[in-house]
Amino acid sequence: CQLTITHSNGPQVSMIHKAMTELRRVYIDYTPAPMSVCSAMSQGYVGYDIQNALRSELLGRGISRPVSTILTQVTVDPYDEAFYAPTKKPGKGFLRVVAAPKPIDIVEIDAIRALADADQIVIACGGGGIPVILQNHNLKGASAVIEKDAIAGKLAAELRADVLLILTGVPSVYTGFGTDHQAPISRMNAEEARAHIQGGEFEATTMLPKIEAAISYLESNPQGTV
């Protein structure tokens, strides 16, 4: 199988942002790292760990496959409504709240596709991708983060993947989650998913982004499976 992996980076980007902010307080001449740079650092950091762990596991099973991490930028709209109502909270304790705009284009998609077509395992769009704003021919980092599930759905659609597989900390998608009427959903089509969204079945910051990503992927690739 051709395998392309993306991942979250919430704890890591928060740790890097806090570290860089504290460094600026101690050494006044240092320039604090913007959120986009912290996202880039976390992509390299998490990608490095996944890349080496996966390579070792494959070799241990007698499988020789190249594994590559692609530093990935994702364009966003500077007038996205998310910039006017930031909701994303990196880290714990004292929090910085940032915008989570919708992804528009994956800048390095051709490189990702070329590596995937060359039978390499690719790690890309980590943490939702580095959010950038296109200004003439320049890509400027945005003070924002991109929802990891949204970019997973878009990446799968762009690659025309047969399967979008989302790993979670719960065994199933549920209706009535956390209530006495909780019931697992074993199968669901896009229309049924939209009905459940309208009914408020999915929590806004946990399961809802995953369901929305699945719907977006299926709209672009009706023959796909989630």
Side-chain angles (χ1 to χ4, degrees):
C1 295
Q2 291 179 325
L3 177 63
T4 302
I5 300 170
T6 189
H7 58 81
S8 64
N9 72 341
Q12 294 82 11
V13 76
S14 175
M15 178 185 69
I16 291 168
H17 183 263
K18 287 179 180 178
M20 301 305 288
T21 301
E22 289 300 314
L23 188 66
R24 173 67 172 83
R25 290 174 180 164
V26 175
Y27 300 102
I28 197 67
D29 293 334
Y30 276 46
T31 302
M35 184 58 72
S36 57
V37 172
C38 294
S39 293
M41 291 180 179
S42 71
Q43 272 196 15
Y45 158 31
V46 180
Y48 159 76
D49 280 340
I50 296 175
Q51 179 175 314
N52 285 344
L54 185 54
R55 178 180 179 275
S56 295
E57 180 66 25
L58 289 170
L59 289 174
R61 299 184 183 202
I63 302 170
S64 179
R65 292 276 297 279
V67 185
S68 302
T69 299
I70 298 294
L71 199 65
T72 314
Q73 302 173 95
V74 177
T75 60
V76 297
D77 183 351
Y79 301 105
D80 190 299
E81 292 182 0
F83 284 109
Y84 302 99
T87 58
K88 203 72 173 178
K89 301 176 181 179
K92 298 179 181 179
F94 289 100
L95 301 177
R96 177 181 179 182
V97 182
V98 297
K102 292 181 173 60
I104 298 176
D105 290 314
I106 300 170
V107 177
E108 288 78 18
I109 188 62
D110 288 340
I112 296 167
R113 187 179 291 111
L115 289 171
D117 288 344
D119 206 30
Q120 294 203 29
I121 297 172
V122 186
I123 303 162
C125 296
I130 305 163
V132 293
I133 295 170
L134 182 60
Q135 297 179 345
N136 296 323
H137 298 296
N138 299 317
L139 294 171
K140 300 290 186 180
S143 183
V145 295
I146 296 171
E147 175 59 58
K148 64 184 181 299
D149 299 311
I151 200 62
K154 185 169 184 60
L155 180 61
E158 292 279 352
L159 296 176
R160 299 198 63 77
D162 295 320
V163 177
L164 169 62
L165 178 64
I166 301 176
L167 303 179
T168 73
V170 293
S172 181
V173 178
Y174 296 92
T175 57
F177 182 70
T179 71
D180 293 338
H181 306 291
Q182 177 175 304
I185 301 173
S186 58
R187 295 181 66 86
M188 177 172 57
N189 60 34
E191 184 178 350
E192 292 167 337
R194 291 190 190 95
H196 286 314
I197 291 174
Q198 288 293 322
E201 289 289 355
F202 307 125
E203 205 279 325
T205 60
T206 55
M207 190 55 70
L208 179 59
K210 296 171 175 55
I211 301 300
E212 290 177 334
I215 292 172
S216 175
Y217 160 70
L218 291 173
E219 286 176 341
S220 296
N221 187 13
Q223 303 305 314
T225 302
V226 181

